[in-house]
Amino acid sequence: MAWNPELYGKFQKERFAPFEDLSDLIDIREGLDVIDLGCGTGELTRRLSDMLPGSSVLGIDSSPEMLSQASPRSRSGLDFELMPIDNVSGEWDLIFSNAALQWVPDHQKLVPRLISLLRPGGQIAVQVPSNHIHITQLLIQETAGEEPFRSALGGWVRRPSVLTITEYAELLHENGCSGITVFEKVFPHILESAGSVLDWLSGTVLIYYFSRLQSPIKEAFRDAYMKKLEKLYPEGPVFYPFRRIFFSGYKGESPA
């Protein structure tokens, strides 16, 4: 499954905005061992590195296309590596992830495993989109359930792995975290048209569908979904509220 950095970056301002809220949760200290899970093209990983003087920051991503743009941003104390989040190991003072864990299944197991990789007093800070209940995403599932797409997909529909804010809070508590912060925030985006909504989703969740379909079915799926978006948003601009979950905690006691 190939990611398109240019298409993903088309809405860079909107996609980068949550980084500010997430970075506000970080306990700024010197000399940390930090890993950024799902670093993408590396711009935000570099900003994270700038925030943490004297720290060693590693950005990982499973997309060679994204990493090809991240690697030139390497410098002393900042490196990038091709690696799936599932394969992460080692010991860390800060595990950071901005809009990446939603692509990894089974958060009931994933979050405890990540916490286990923290040193005592280490921090986990994560942001995940929680917009899977928005009508635009429900219409993707609806389209996937229609013929000929249902047969072409073998009945497959992407099921979200994102939990509720209460479930994340419980996971942090059950796995020995203190200083727990969990909240959900709506980011109000104004997009130009229904076509802009399609472009937004084509850079994320629709990749999973397009990668499973061959031409001309793939184009037919896109056109069928676009017709639904045009019916939903017959005129622009489009108000596109986007929900995101933030959670953070320290392993054991938080540092003084």
Side-chain angles (χ1 to χ4, degrees):
M1 184 178 66
W3 286 76
N4 185 328
E6 287 73 27
L7 184 57
Y8 185 84
K10 182 176 181 179
F11 302 98
Q12 184 181 83
K13 179 182 177 181
E14 291 85 355
R15 296 196 196 279
F16 281 12
F19 175 85
E20 305 301 332
D21 294 86
L22 184 59
S23 61
D24 284 345
L25 298 177
I26 297 175
D27 182 19
I28 305 298
R29 293 179 286 151
E30 293 189 15
L32 301 178
D33 287 324
V34 181
I35 189 165
D36 180 9
L37 308 179
C39 64
T41 54
E43 295 101 321
L44 298 181
T45 313
R46 179 132 186 177
R47 287 173 59 182
L48 178 65
S49 177
D50 291 341
M51 295 169 52
L52 301 169
S55 295
S56 175
V57 180
L58 173 65
I60 69 161
D61 205 283
S62 61
S63 168
E65 295 82 8
M66 292 290 197
L67 261 294
S68 69
Q69 296 197 16
S71 295
R73 305 180 197 278
S74 299
R75 65 184 182 193
S76 178
L78 174 61
D79 294 296
F80 296 94
E81 185 175 340
L82 183 67
M83 181 191 303
I85 292 173
D86 290 338
N87 291 358
V88 170
S89 60
E91 292 186 335
W92 306 94
D93 299 305
L94 172 63
I95 294 176
F96 182 92
S97 186
N98 183 57
L101 295 192
Q102 71 274 15
W103 307 121
V104 184
D106 199 352
H107 284 198
Q108 291 284 0
K109 292 183 178 179
L110 174 66
V111 174
R113 195 178 85 77
L114 294 178
I115 294 171
S116 75
L117 302 180
L118 290 171
R119 295 191 176 108
Q123 183 182 14
I124 184 170
V126 171
Q127 181 267 123
V128 288
S130 53
N131 222 41
H132 49 276
I133 61 173
H134 192 265
I135 182 61
T136 54
Q137 299 222 20
L138 298 179
L139 287 175
I140 295 175
Q141 296 181 21
E142 177 182 285
T143 305
E146 299 168 352
E147 294 296 352
F149 315 120
R150 178 180 173 83
S151 295
L153 291 165
W156 179 88
V157 174
R158 185 178 181 275
R159 302 298 180 186
S161 58
V162 174
L163 306 176
T164 66
I165 55 175
T166 300
E167 289 171 317
Y168 284 120
E170 290 172 345
L171 278 176
L172 293 171
H173 172 72
E174 290 166 1
N175 288 274
C177 287
S178 63
I180 295 170
T181 300
V182 185
F183 63 91
E184 189 168 39
K185 180 177 178 178
V186 175
F187 290 79
H189 301 314
I190 307 298
L191 303 184
E192 183 177 338
S193 63
S196 299
V197 177
L198 179 64
D199 287 345
W200 177 293
L201 294 167
S202 293
T204 54
V205 65
L206 281 172
I207 294 174
Y208 284 81
Y209 291 86
F210 293 162
S211 67
R212 287 170 166 80
L213 297 171
Q214 302 295 319
S215 298
I217 296 293
K218 179 169 68 174
E219 288 75 20
F221 183 96
R222 185 182 187 280
D223 291 344
Y225 179 58
M226 182 60 188
K227 288 179 180 178
K228 294 180 181 183
L229 289 179
E230 289 174 333
K231 183 177 180 180
L232 183 65
Y233 303 118
E235 298 180 355
V238 173
F239 178 68
Y240 190 55
F242 203 96
R243 294 167 44 156
R244 297 178 183 272
I245 289 175
F246 298 77
F247 65 86
S248 174
Y250 299 91
K251 185 175 182 178
E253 295 296 321
S254 60

